[in-house]
Amino acid sequence: MGTALLTDHYELTMLEAALHSGAAHRRAVFEVFARHLPHGRRYGVVAGTGRLLDAIERFRFGPEELSFLRDNGIVDETTLRYLASYRFGGNVWGYAEGDLYFPGSPILVVEGSFAEAVILETVALSVLNHDCAIASAASRMVTAAGGRPIIEMGSRRTHEVAAVAAARAAYIAGFASTSNLRARFAYGVPSSGTAAHAFTLVHDSERHAFMSQVDSLGPGTTLLVDTFDVPRAVRTAIEVAGPSLGAVRIDSGDLGATAVTVRGLLDSLGAVNTRIILTGDLDEYSIAGLAVAPVDGYGVGTSLVTGSGAPTAALVYKLVARSDTPLAGLAGLAQAAAADEGPLRPVAKRSVGKPSRGGRKWAVRRRTDAGEALTELITLAPPDPSPADRVLLRELIREGKIVGREPLSAARARHRAVLAELPAHALQLSRGYPAIPTVFDPDDRETS
Protein backbone atom coordinates (compact mmCIF):
# COMPACT_ATOMS: atom_id res chain seq x y z
CA MET A 1 0.00 0.00 0.00
CA GLY A 2 1.27 3.47 -0.83
CA THR A 3 1.79 5.96 1.97
CA ALA A 4 1.45 9.29 0.13
CA LEU A 5 -2.07 10.00 1.39
CA LEU A 6 -1.09 9.33 5.00
CA THR A 7 -0.64 13.07 5.20
CA ASP A 8 -2.42 16.20 6.30
CA HIS A 9 -4.17 18.40 3.75
CA TYR A 10 -2.04 21.39 4.68
CA GLU A 11 1.15 19.70 3.50
CA LEU A 12 -0.18 19.88 -0.06
CA THR A 13 -1.55 23.37 0.47
CA MET A 14 1.96 24.54 1.38
CA LEU A 15 3.43 22.62 -1.53
CA GLU A 16 1.10 24.26 -4.06
CA ALA A 17 1.80 27.76 -2.78
CA ALA A 18 5.57 27.12 -2.61
CA LEU A 19 5.61 25.85 -6.20
CA HIS A 20 4.04 29.14 -7.31
CA SER A 21 6.24 31.37 -5.14
CA GLY A 22 9.44 29.60 -6.15
CA ALA A 23 10.30 28.55 -2.58
CA ALA A 24 9.59 24.90 -3.30
CA HIS A 25 13.12 24.21 -4.52
CA ARG A 26 14.99 26.02 -1.82
CA ARG A 27 17.21 23.63 0.08
CA ALA A 28 15.72 22.97 3.50
CA VAL A 29 16.52 21.03 6.66
CA PHE A 30 13.78 19.71 8.92
CA GLU A 31 14.29 18.13 12.34
CA VAL A 32 12.22 15.82 14.51
CA PHE A 33 12.68 16.46 18.22
CA ALA A 34 10.79 16.60 21.50
CA ARG A 35 10.61 19.79 23.53
CA HIS A 36 10.04 17.75 26.68
CA LEU A 37 9.57 14.20 27.92
CA PRO A 38 6.03 13.28 29.02
CA HIS A 39 4.99 12.71 32.63
CA GLY A 40 8.37 13.57 34.10
CA ARG A 41 10.02 10.57 32.47
CA ARG A 42 13.78 10.45 32.45
CA TYR A 43 14.46 9.27 28.90
CA GLY A 44 12.70 8.40 25.66
CA VAL A 45 13.36 5.45 23.35
CA VAL A 46 13.78 5.82 19.60
CA ALA A 47 11.58 3.38 17.68
CA GLY A 48 9.86 3.34 14.32
CA THR A 49 12.86 4.32 12.20
CA GLY A 50 12.72 1.12 10.17
CA ARG A 51 9.00 1.53 9.60
CA LEU A 52 9.53 5.13 8.55
CA LEU A 53 12.15 4.14 5.98
CA ASP A 54 9.65 1.68 4.52
CA ALA A 55 7.00 4.42 4.44
CA ILE A 56 9.27 6.91 2.65
CA GLU A 57 10.18 4.25 0.10
CA ARG A 58 6.48 3.75 -0.65
CA PHE A 59 5.62 7.48 -0.66
CA ARG A 60 4.30 7.69 -4.22
CA PHE A 61 1.34 9.42 -5.87
CA GLY A 62 -0.07 6.93 -8.37
CA PRO A 63 -2.99 7.39 -10.80
CA GLU A 64 -5.60 6.65 -8.15
CA GLU A 65 -4.19 9.15 -5.65
CA LEU A 66 -3.75 11.81 -8.33
CA SER A 67 -7.33 11.34 -9.55
CA PHE A 68 -8.57 11.72 -5.99
CA LEU A 69 -6.66 14.97 -5.54
CA ARG A 70 -7.84 16.33 -8.90
CA ASP A 71 -11.49 15.29 -8.51
CA ASN A 72 -11.72 16.87 -5.08
CA GLY A 73 -9.99 20.08 -6.07
CA ILE A 74 -7.32 19.65 -3.40
CA VAL A 75 -4.39 20.89 -5.53
CA ASP A 76 -3.96 22.48 -8.94
CA GLU A 77 -2.54 20.96 -12.11
CA THR A 78 0.97 22.31 -11.48
CA THR A 79 1.07 20.53 -8.14
CA LEU A 80 -0.40 17.35 -9.63
CA ARG A 81 2.38 17.26 -12.21
CA TYR A 82 4.96 17.65 -9.44
CA LEU A 83 3.39 14.89 -7.34
CA ALA A 84 3.11 12.50 -10.30
CA SER A 85 6.90 12.24 -10.42
CA TYR A 86 7.55 12.64 -6.70
CA ARG A 87 10.38 10.59 -5.28
CA PHE A 88 12.22 11.70 -2.18
CA GLY A 89 15.75 12.40 -3.39
CA GLY A 90 17.27 14.00 -0.32
CA ASN A 91 19.25 12.85 2.69
CA VAL A 92 18.08 11.64 6.09
CA TRP A 93 20.07 11.11 9.27
CA GLY A 94 18.67 9.81 12.52
CA TYR A 95 19.28 8.31 15.92
CA ALA A 96 19.45 4.54 15.65
CA GLU A 97 16.45 2.51 16.77
CA GLY A 98 16.73 1.42 20.37
CA ASP A 99 18.85 4.42 21.31
CA LEU A 100 17.66 6.95 23.87
CA TYR A 101 16.68 10.57 23.37
CA PHE A 102 16.19 13.60 25.59
CA PRO A 103 14.56 17.04 25.20
CA GLY A 104 15.98 18.71 22.10
CA SER A 105 17.62 15.58 20.68
CA PRO A 106 17.46 15.81 16.85
CA ILE A 107 16.33 12.22 16.42
CA LEU A 108 15.66 12.72 12.69
CA VAL A 109 17.24 15.23 10.27
CA VAL A 110 15.70 15.51 6.80
CA GLU A 111 17.50 17.50 4.10
CA GLY A 112 16.20 18.13 0.59
CA SER A 113 14.20 20.69 -1.29
CA PHE A 114 11.44 22.31 0.74
CA ALA A 115 8.89 20.62 -1.52
CA GLU A 116 10.14 17.07 -1.12
CA ALA A 117 10.82 17.35 2.61
CA VAL A 118 7.75 19.24 3.85
CA ILE A 119 5.25 16.64 2.66
CA LEU A 120 6.93 13.92 4.75
CA GLU A 121 6.00 15.67 8.01
CA THR A 122 2.78 13.86 8.79
CA VAL A 123 3.89 10.34 8.00
CA ALA A 124 7.16 10.85 9.89
CA LEU A 125 5.40 12.10 13.00
CA SER A 126 2.66 9.46 12.77
CA VAL A 127 5.22 6.67 12.85
CA LEU A 128 7.71 8.14 15.31
CA ASN A 129 5.25 9.61 17.81
CA HIS A 130 3.48 6.27 18.15
CA ASP A 131 6.44 3.92 18.16
CA CYS A 132 8.64 6.06 20.42
CA ALA A 133 5.79 6.36 22.92
CA ILE A 134 5.26 2.60 22.99
CA ALA A 135 8.96 1.77 23.23
CA SER A 136 9.47 4.34 26.00
CA ALA A 137 6.68 2.80 28.08
CA ALA A 138 7.86 -0.73 27.30
CA SER A 139 11.40 0.05 28.43
CA ARG A 140 10.14 1.17 31.84
CA MET A 141 8.10 -2.01 32.16
CA VAL A 142 11.07 -4.20 31.28
CA THR A 143 13.15 -2.38 33.90
CA ALA A 144 10.41 -2.87 36.49
CA ALA A 145 10.19 -6.58 35.65
CA GLY A 146 13.79 -7.06 36.72
CA GLY A 147 14.67 -9.76 34.21
CA ARG A 148 11.31 -11.55 34.21
CA PRO A 149 10.00 -11.86 30.63
CA ILE A 150 7.00 -9.84 29.46
CA ILE A 151 4.58 -10.83 26.71
CA GLU A 152 3.01 -8.04 24.66
CA MET A 153 -0.72 -8.75 24.37
CA GLY A 154 -2.43 -5.45 23.57
CA SER A 155 -3.82 -6.15 20.10
CA ARG A 156 -7.44 -6.16 21.24
CA ARG A 157 -7.04 -2.76 22.89
CA THR A 158 -5.92 -0.66 19.92
CA HIS A 159 -6.22 -0.17 16.17
CA GLU A 160 -5.31 -3.29 14.22
CA VAL A 161 -2.37 -1.61 12.42
CA ALA A 162 -1.15 0.12 15.57
CA ALA A 163 -1.15 -3.26 17.31
CA VAL A 164 1.50 -4.57 14.93
CA ALA A 165 3.65 -1.46 15.31
CA ALA A 166 3.28 -1.64 19.10
CA ALA A 167 4.48 -5.24 19.17
CA ARG A 168 7.53 -4.27 17.13
CA ALA A 169 8.35 -1.29 19.34
CA ALA A 170 7.89 -3.30 22.55
CA TYR A 171 10.24 -5.99 21.28
CA ILE A 172 12.94 -3.38 20.59
CA ALA A 173 12.57 -2.21 24.21
CA GLY A 174 12.99 -5.70 25.62
CA PHE A 175 9.62 -7.49 25.63
CA ALA A 176 10.14 -11.21 25.08
CA SER A 177 7.28 -11.93 22.69
CA THR A 178 3.91 -10.83 21.36
CA SER A 179 0.47 -12.34 20.93
CA ASN A 180 0.17 -10.68 17.50
CA LEU A 181 0.82 -13.01 14.58
CA ARG A 182 1.09 -10.19 12.05
CA ALA A 183 4.03 -8.81 14.02
CA ARG A 184 5.74 -12.16 13.72
CA PHE A 185 4.93 -12.40 10.01
CA ALA A 186 6.07 -8.85 9.17
CA TYR A 187 8.96 -8.34 11.58
CA GLY A 188 9.92 -11.70 13.07
CA VAL A 189 8.84 -10.81 16.61
CA PRO A 190 8.50 -14.09 18.55
CA SER A 191 4.86 -14.95 19.24
CA SER A 192 3.15 -17.00 21.93
CA GLY A 193 -0.34 -17.74 23.17
CA THR A 194 -2.42 -20.46 24.76
CA ALA A 195 -6.07 -20.03 25.77
CA ALA A 196 -8.69 -17.61 27.09
CA HIS A 197 -11.51 -18.15 29.56
CA ALA A 198 -13.82 -18.90 26.63
CA PHE A 199 -11.87 -22.09 25.98
CA THR A 200 -12.63 -23.32 29.49
CA LEU A 201 -16.27 -22.28 29.31
CA VAL A 202 -16.96 -24.00 26.00
CA HIS A 203 -16.00 -27.36 27.51
CA ASP A 204 -18.18 -29.38 29.87
CA SER A 205 -15.74 -28.91 32.74
CA GLU A 206 -12.47 -27.25 33.62
CA ARG A 207 -10.84 -30.69 33.73
CA HIS A 208 -12.07 -31.45 30.22
CA ALA A 209 -10.69 -28.11 28.97
CA PHE A 210 -7.30 -28.73 30.55
CA MET A 211 -7.13 -32.27 29.16
CA SER A 212 -7.95 -31.02 25.66
CA GLN A 213 -5.26 -28.35 25.81
CA VAL A 214 -2.60 -30.67 27.20
CA ASP A 215 -3.46 -33.39 24.66
CA SER A 216 -2.99 -30.87 21.83
CA LEU A 217 -0.07 -28.78 23.09
CA GLY A 218 1.70 -31.07 25.53
CA PRO A 219 2.38 -30.69 29.25
CA GLY A 220 4.67 -27.71 28.64
CA THR A 221 1.64 -25.51 27.88
CA THR A 222 0.27 -22.70 30.06
CA LEU A 223 -3.12 -23.31 31.70
CA LEU A 224 -5.42 -20.46 32.72
CA VAL A 225 -6.49 -21.19 36.31
CA ASP A 226 -8.74 -18.31 37.40
CA THR A 227 -11.99 -19.05 35.54
CA PHE A 228 -13.66 -20.44 38.69
CA ASP A 229 -11.73 -21.38 41.83
CA VAL A 230 -7.96 -20.91 41.59
CA PRO A 231 -6.72 -23.53 44.12
CA ARG A 232 -9.03 -26.16 42.70
CA ALA A 233 -7.94 -25.32 39.16
CA VAL A 234 -4.27 -25.61 40.10
CA ARG A 235 -4.84 -29.08 41.56
CA THR A 236 -6.77 -30.14 38.49
CA ALA A 237 -4.04 -28.76 36.23
CA ILE A 238 -1.34 -30.83 37.93
CA GLU A 239 -3.54 -33.93 37.97
CA VAL A 240 -4.04 -33.57 34.22
CA ALA A 241 -0.57 -32.43 33.09
CA GLY A 242 1.60 -33.80 35.86
CA PRO A 243 4.33 -31.94 37.74
CA SER A 244 6.03 -31.01 34.46
CA LEU A 245 3.26 -28.53 33.57
CA GLY A 246 4.89 -25.55 31.88
CA ALA A 247 3.01 -22.69 33.52
CA VAL A 248 -0.22 -21.42 35.00
CA ARG A 249 -1.68 -18.01 34.21
CA ILE A 250 -3.57 -15.82 36.66
CA ASP A 251 -5.58 -12.97 35.15
CA SER A 252 -7.66 -11.54 38.00
CA GLY A 253 -7.90 -10.84 41.71
CA ASP A 254 -5.12 -9.80 44.05
CA LEU A 255 -2.33 -10.99 41.79
CA GLY A 256 0.46 -10.82 44.35
CA ALA A 257 -1.40 -12.67 47.09
CA THR A 258 -2.79 -15.23 44.65
CA ALA A 259 0.68 -15.89 43.26
CA VAL A 260 1.96 -16.67 46.76
CA THR A 261 -0.89 -19.14 47.32
CA VAL A 262 -0.41 -20.76 43.92
CA ARG A 263 3.36 -21.07 44.32
CA GLY A 264 2.93 -22.85 47.64
CA LEU A 265 0.32 -25.16 46.17
CA LEU A 266 2.39 -26.00 43.11
CA ASP A 267 5.43 -26.79 45.25
CA SER A 268 3.38 -29.01 47.52
CA LEU A 269 2.18 -30.94 44.46
CA GLY A 270 5.73 -31.45 43.21
CA ALA A 271 5.42 -28.93 40.38
CA VAL A 272 8.39 -26.90 41.56
CA ASN A 273 9.37 -25.90 38.01
CA THR A 274 5.92 -24.85 36.87
CA ARG A 275 6.02 -21.12 36.18
CA ILE A 276 3.47 -18.50 37.20
CA ILE A 277 2.46 -15.88 34.63
CA LEU A 278 0.44 -12.83 35.69
CA THR A 279 -1.77 -10.77 33.39
CA GLY A 280 -4.61 -8.32 33.91
CA ASP A 281 -4.25 -4.54 33.49
CA LEU A 282 -0.59 -4.43 34.47
CA ASP A 283 1.69 -1.42 34.00
CA GLU A 284 5.22 -0.56 35.14
CA TYR A 285 4.03 0.43 38.61
CA SER A 286 2.03 -2.72 39.29
CA ILE A 287 4.86 -4.82 37.88
CA ALA A 288 7.30 -3.10 40.24
CA GLY A 289 4.87 -3.78 43.09
CA LEU A 290 5.05 -7.50 42.27
CA ALA A 291 8.84 -7.63 42.47
CA VAL A 292 8.86 -9.79 45.62
CA ALA A 293 6.01 -12.05 44.49
CA PRO A 294 6.91 -15.58 43.31
CA VAL A 295 6.25 -14.73 39.69
CA ASP A 296 8.01 -15.86 36.51
CA GLY A 297 6.60 -13.53 33.87
CA TYR A 298 3.95 -11.02 32.90
CA GLY A 299 1.57 -10.23 30.09
CA VAL A 300 0.84 -6.55 29.39
CA GLY A 301 -1.80 -5.18 27.04
CA THR A 302 -3.75 -1.96 27.49
CA SER A 303 -1.12 0.10 29.26
CA LEU A 304 1.52 -0.86 26.71
CA VAL A 305 -0.41 0.02 23.56
CA THR A 306 -1.53 3.34 25.07
CA GLY A 307 1.98 4.36 26.12
CA SER A 308 1.13 3.85 29.79
CA GLY A 309 -0.48 7.27 30.07
CA ALA A 310 1.65 8.93 27.37
CA PRO A 311 0.16 7.80 24.04
CA THR A 312 2.36 10.18 22.05
CA ALA A 313 6.01 11.09 22.35
CA ALA A 314 5.18 14.78 21.65
CA LEU A 315 7.66 14.90 18.78
CA VAL A 316 7.53 17.78 16.29
CA TYR A 317 8.89 18.24 12.74
CA LYS A 318 10.28 21.73 12.25
CA LEU A 319 12.16 23.64 9.57
CA VAL A 320 15.51 24.66 11.08
CA ALA A 321 17.53 25.83 8.07
CA ARG A 322 17.04 26.91 4.46
CA SER A 323 19.00 28.34 1.57
CA ASP A 324 18.81 31.94 0.44
CA THR A 325 18.42 31.24 -3.26
CA PRO A 326 16.22 33.99 -4.72
CA LEU A 327 12.64 33.00 -5.40
CA ALA A 328 12.39 31.95 -9.03
CA GLY A 329 8.70 31.66 -9.79
CA LEU A 330 7.30 28.83 -11.85
CA ALA A 331 9.34 29.61 -14.94
CA GLY A 332 12.66 29.36 -13.15
CA LEU A 333 12.20 26.35 -10.88
CA ALA A 334 14.60 24.07 -12.74
CA GLN A 335 17.36 26.66 -12.77
CA ALA A 336 16.79 27.46 -9.09
CA ALA A 337 16.94 23.81 -8.12
CA ALA A 338 20.16 23.25 -10.04
CA ALA A 339 21.84 26.34 -8.60
CA ASP A 340 20.74 25.93 -5.00
CA GLU A 341 24.01 24.81 -3.45
CA GLY A 342 24.63 27.90 -1.33
CA PRO A 343 24.97 28.06 2.45
CA LEU A 344 22.03 27.23 4.70
CA ARG A 345 20.63 29.93 6.96
CA PRO A 346 19.26 28.95 10.40
CA VAL A 347 15.55 29.64 10.89
CA ALA A 348 13.39 29.15 13.98
CA LYS A 349 10.08 30.11 15.53
CA ARG A 350 9.53 32.12 18.70
CA SER A 351 5.97 31.04 19.43
CA VAL A 352 5.15 31.22 23.14
CA GLY A 353 5.63 27.79 24.66
CA LYS A 354 6.73 26.33 21.32
CA PRO A 355 10.17 27.73 20.52
CA SER A 356 12.66 26.00 18.25
CA ARG A 357 16.39 26.33 17.68
CA GLY A 358 17.65 27.22 14.23
CA GLY A 359 20.44 25.49 12.34
CA ARG A 360 21.24 22.00 11.13
CA LYS A 361 22.28 20.00 14.21
CA TRP A 362 24.73 17.26 15.10
CA ALA A 363 24.56 15.26 18.32
CA VAL A 364 27.05 13.52 20.59
CA ARG A 365 26.49 11.72 23.87
CA ARG A 366 29.29 12.73 26.18
CA ARG A 367 30.41 9.84 28.38
CA THR A 368 32.93 9.22 31.11
CA ASP A 369 35.91 7.01 30.45
CA ALA A 370 33.90 4.25 32.15
CA GLY A 371 31.10 4.71 29.62
CA GLU A 372 28.49 6.47 31.77
CA ALA A 373 26.42 9.08 29.94
CA LEU A 374 27.02 12.66 31.05
CA THR A 375 25.30 15.03 28.62
CA GLU A 376 23.54 15.19 25.27
CA LEU A 377 25.64 17.69 23.32
CA ILE A 378 23.91 19.34 20.34
CA THR A 379 26.10 21.41 18.00
CA LEU A 380 25.73 23.43 14.81
CA ALA A 381 28.85 21.91 13.27
CA PRO A 382 30.12 18.35 12.90
CA PRO A 383 31.36 17.21 16.32
CA ASP A 384 34.87 16.42 17.45
CA PRO A 385 34.11 13.59 19.90
CA SER A 386 36.52 12.25 22.47
CA PRO A 387 37.24 8.50 22.47
CA ALA A 388 34.60 7.96 25.17
CA ASP A 389 31.87 9.92 23.37
CA ARG A 390 29.27 8.44 21.07
CA VAL A 391 28.13 10.12 17.84
CA LEU A 392 24.35 9.75 17.62
CA LEU A 393 23.19 10.64 14.11
CA ARG A 394 23.53 7.90 11.51
CA GLU A 395 23.00 8.11 7.78
CA LEU A 396 19.65 6.56 6.85
CA ILE A 397 18.97 7.85 3.32
CA ARG A 398 21.55 9.17 0.88
CA GLU A 399 20.28 11.00 -2.22
CA GLY A 400 17.00 9.13 -2.01
CA LYS A 401 18.55 5.67 -1.51
CA ILE A 402 17.98 3.87 1.79
CA VAL A 403 21.32 3.00 3.36
CA GLY A 404 20.43 2.65 7.02
CA ARG A 405 18.26 -0.46 7.31
CA GLU A 406 19.20 -2.96 10.00
CA PRO A 407 17.68 -6.07 11.59
CA LEU A 408 15.34 -5.68 14.54
CA SER A 409 17.75 -7.70 16.65
CA ALA A 410 20.35 -4.92 16.30
CA ALA A 411 17.93 -2.32 17.69
CA ARG A 412 17.01 -4.65 20.56
CA ALA A 413 20.65 -5.26 21.48
CA ARG A 414 21.42 -1.54 21.18
CA HIS A 415 18.68 -0.66 23.64
CA ARG A 416 20.12 -2.99 26.25
CA ALA A 417 23.54 -1.44 25.75
CA VAL A 418 22.47 2.21 25.92
CA LEU A 419 20.38 1.68 29.06
CA ALA A 420 23.55 0.46 30.73
CA GLU A 421 25.16 3.84 29.99
CA LEU A 422 22.66 5.76 32.13
CA PRO A 423 23.28 6.73 35.74
CA ALA A 424 21.40 4.52 38.20
CA HIS A 425 18.77 7.13 39.07
CA ALA A 426 17.64 7.23 35.43
CA LEU A 427 15.87 3.89 35.82
CA GLN A 428 13.62 5.06 38.64
CA LEU A 429 9.91 5.04 37.83
CA SER A 430 9.14 8.18 39.81
CA ARG A 431 8.76 11.54 38.10
CA GLY A 432 11.99 13.44 37.72
CA TYR A 433 14.26 15.40 35.43
CA PRO A 434 15.79 13.90 32.27
CA ALA A 435 18.54 11.43 33.09
CA ILE A 436 21.17 13.66 31.49
CA PRO A 437 21.01 17.33 30.51
CA THR A 438 20.85 18.50 26.91
CA VAL A 439 23.57 21.07 26.18
CA PHE A 440 23.43 23.28 23.07
CA ASP A 441 26.70 24.65 21.71
CA PRO A 442 26.46 27.51 20.96
CA ASP A 443 23.65 28.13 23.44
CA ASP A 444 21.62 30.65 21.46
CA ARG A 445 18.52 30.80 19.28
CA GLU A 446 18.71 32.13 15.75
CA THR A 447 15.62 33.15 13.85
CA SER A 448 14.80 34.31 10.37
Side-chain angles (χ1 to χ4, degrees):
M1 181 184 73
T3 58
L5 293 183
L6 296 177
T7 191
D8 286 328
H9 191 134
Y10 88 151
E11 314 288 8
L12 300 190
T13 301
M14 289 189 286
L15 173 62
E16 179 176 326
L19 286 169
H20 283 272
S21 75
H25 288 286
R26 278 182 163 168
R27 274 203 306 146
V29 178
F30 287 83
E31 279 179 13
V32 174
F33 62 92
R35 295 188 177 97
H36 59 85
L37 300 177
H39 293 303
R41 292 182 179 175
R42 298 166 191 261
Y43 63 88
V45 179
V46 178
T49 308
R51 291 206 310 120
L52 178 58
L53 293 178
D54 293 342
I56 293 174
E57 191 172 52
R58 301 196 308 271
F59 202 92
R60 304 282 188 270
F61 291 86
E64 190 173 3
E65 289 87 355
L66 293 170
S67 293
F68 163 76
L69 295 175
R70 177 181 290 109
D71 294 346
N72 287 275
I74 294 173
V75 294
D76 64 11
E77 288 299 321
T78 298
T79 309
L80 287 170
R81 287 193 296 272
Y82 175 84
L83 294 176
S85 60
Y86 178 86
R87 302 289 187 273
F88 179 75
N91 304 308
V92 177
W93 297 264
Y95 281 35
E97 281 201 276
D99 210 336
L100 309 179
Y101 69 90
F102 303 93
S105 297
I107 69 171
L108 197 76
V109 177
V110 180
E111 180 179 309
S113 70
F114 177 81
E116 65 182 338
V118 72
I119 61 176
L120 296 179
E121 175 187 9
T122 302
V123 69
L125 291 180
S126 293
V127 171
L128 295 176
N129 264 316
H130 176 269
D131 289 22
C132 291
I134 302 303
S136 298
S139 179
R140 288 160 55 86
M141 294 173 190
V142 171
T143 295
R148 295 168 175 172
I150 310 179
I151 306 166
E152 185 283 314
M153 47 195 304
S155 296
R156 290 165 292 168
R157 299 294 185 266
T158 190
H159 186 279
E160 67 273 16
V161 178
V164 182
R168 181 185 183 278
Y171 186 67
I172 288 172
F175 271 48
S177 60
T178 179
S179 65
N180 189 290
L181 286 176
R182 185 73 187 187
R184 183 168 185 171
F185 175 80
Y187 302 115
V189 178
S191 64
S192 60
T194 51
H197 294 101
F199 182 77
T200 298
L201 295 172
V202 78
H203 288 83
D204 294 334
S205 68
E206 194 169 52
R207 179 179 294 273
H208 185 206
F210 289 173
M211 290 176 64
S212 299
Q213 186 172 329
V214 171
D215 287 346
S216 295
L217 302 178
T221 190
T222 299
L223 297 177
L224 182 60
V225 295
D226 71 335
T227 304
F228 304 114
D229 179 78
V230 172
R232 184 179 67 184
V234 171
R235 293 187 179 92
T236 302
I238 301 306
E239 290 171 6
V240 169
S244 61
L245 174 65
V248 296
R249 177 163 76 94
I250 306 167
D251 188 55
S252 59
D254 185 331
L255 296 177
T258 304
V260 171
T261 299
V262 169
R263 182 74 270 160
L265 185 54
L266 287 170
D267 291 349
S268 71
L269 297 171
V272 294
N273 293 318
T274 297
R275 295 171 294 116
I276 297 174
I277 308 298
L278 300 184
T279 58
D281 294 325
L282 296 175
D283 61 13
E284 62 265 47
Y285 300 104
S286 55
I287 290 172
L290 292 164
V292 297
V295 178
D296 300 283
Y298 307 97
V300 181
T302 302
S303 62
L304 185 279
V305 298
T306 58
S308 194
T312 176
L315 300 170
V316 294
Y317 184 98
K318 297 301 177 185
L319 180 68
V320 296
R322 68 163 176 86
S323 67
D324 274 327
T325 300
L327 299 183
L330 287 174
L333 285 181
Q335 295 91 327
D340 194 4
E341 295 298 332
L344 292 169
R345 178 159 63 90
V347 295
K349 56 185 285 190
R350 290 190 181 275
S351 305
V352 176
K354 293 184 175 182
S356 59
R357 292 177 181 266
R360 197 269 197 223
K361 316 292 193 310
W362 282 261
V364 168
R365 192 155 298 152
R366 296 289 194 194
R367 302 186 299 177
T368 66
D369 290 339
E372 182 174 303
L374 292 172
T375 59
E376 190 90 337
L377 178 64
I378 313 299
T379 65
L380 296 177
D384 182 21
S386 73
D389 296 339
R390 189 158 60 81
V391 176
L392 298 171
L393 285 166
R394 298 182 173 210
E395 193 175 26
L396 301 176
I397 298 178
R398 181 191 309 138
E399 297 180 351
K401 304 293 185 182
I402 295 176
V403 297
R405 279 200 175 99
E406 63 178 6
L408 206 58
S409 58
R412 182 177 169 87
R414 178 179 298 112
H415 185 63
R416 288 196 300 269
V418 297
L419 276 185
E421 294 178 356
L422 293 181
H425 69 82
L427 302 182
Q428 295 174 1
L429 298 180
S430 59
R431 289 174 178 259
Y433 294 106
I436 59 174
T438 303
V439 176
F440 292 89
D441 183 20
D443 187 17
D444 60 1
R445 298 177 188 273
E446 297 187 58
T447 62
S448 58

